[in-house]
Each structure stands twice: as C-alpha cells, then as structure tokens.
Amino acid sequence: MPVPAPPASKIAQLSPREQEILRGIARGASNKEIARALGIAETTVKIHVQHVLRKLDVSSRVQAAVIALEHGLVRIPRLISRNRAPFQ
C-alpha cells in the first residue's frame, strides 16, 4: 500500500539537522555512515532518525526515504539515457 505524502508542513517541521539525516536515509546510508559524514555520534543519529519518523508519521526508513524523494530533498540520478532502452 503506498504511503500518502505528508503535507509540506510536516517536512517544514523537521529541523535543518533532521533534514540532513533524512537526506542520508534517502541515499541509503546507514546510521554509522550518516554519523561519520556529519561528524556526530551514531547514537545521536539514531535519536534524530526516531524524531524524523515520528514527525513524518511513518514507521520505516523506506517510507521516510520515499517522502524525501517526493518532496525533492534528494534526487535519483538518471541512470538510463533517453535514447537507449533500459538494459541495453
């Protein structure tokens, strides 16, 4: 079942740090990788992840990542040329 996109106001409720955490989640980074990239403790990242999930009213990192993509916090790079069919 698709996750309904939260209103933009829910994204606006995230602090700048929580938005950074959400970007890391959406890029598939682990808590440890996010912590290293931001120069903070892994336990701090875990707390931020809990806050992000609660504020977005979702129960998984995958749902949070989908919301980040839907709201343009991260972009998926184009992997397939417009002139070529996939997997050629």
Side-chain angles (χ1 to χ4, degrees), residues 5 8-9 14 23 34 43 51-52 56 60 64 75 77-78 83:
S9 62
L14 298 178
R23 284 185 194 96
I34 294 169
T43 54
H51 293 171
V52 167
L56 295 180
S60 76
R75 291 191 177 151
R78 183 179 302 275
N83 299 328

Side-chain angles (χ1 to χ4, degrees), residues 39-60:
I40 60 178
E42 187 176 352
T43 54
T44 303
V45 173
K46 289 179 184 180
I47 292 167
H48 283 306
V49 169
Q50 291 172 356
H51 293 171
V52 167
L53 297 181
R54 188 176 331 114
K55 287 181 179 182
L56 295 180
D57 194 28
V58 296
S59 59
S60 76

Side-chain angles (χ1 to χ4, degrees), residues 9-87:
S9 62
K10 283 193 178 181
I11 295 293
Q13 289 177 6
L14 298 178
S15 71
R17 179 61 92 188
E18 289 167 344
Q19 288 183 24
E20 288 178 308
I21 299 292
L22 180 55
R23 284 185 194 96
I25 291 170
R27 290 183 177 114
S30 67
N31 289 348
K32 189 175 202 174
E33 292 167 330
I34 294 169
R36 285 183 181 162
L38 299 178
I40 60 178
E42 187 176 352
T43 54
T44 303
V45 173
K46 289 179 184 180
I47 292 167
H48 283 306
V49 169
Q50 291 172 356
H51 293 171
V52 167
L53 297 181
R54 188 176 331 114
K55 287 181 179 182
L56 295 180
D57 194 28
V58 296
S59 59
S60 76
R61 292 170 73 101
V62 172
Q63 291 171 321
V66 169
I67 290 169
L69 288 166
E70 289 174 341
H71 289 279
L73 290 179
V74 293
R75 291 191 177 151
I76 298 174
R78 183 179 302 275
L79 299 176
I80 301 170
S81 168
R82 291 178 191 238
N83 299 328
R84 297 182 62 193
F87 308 111

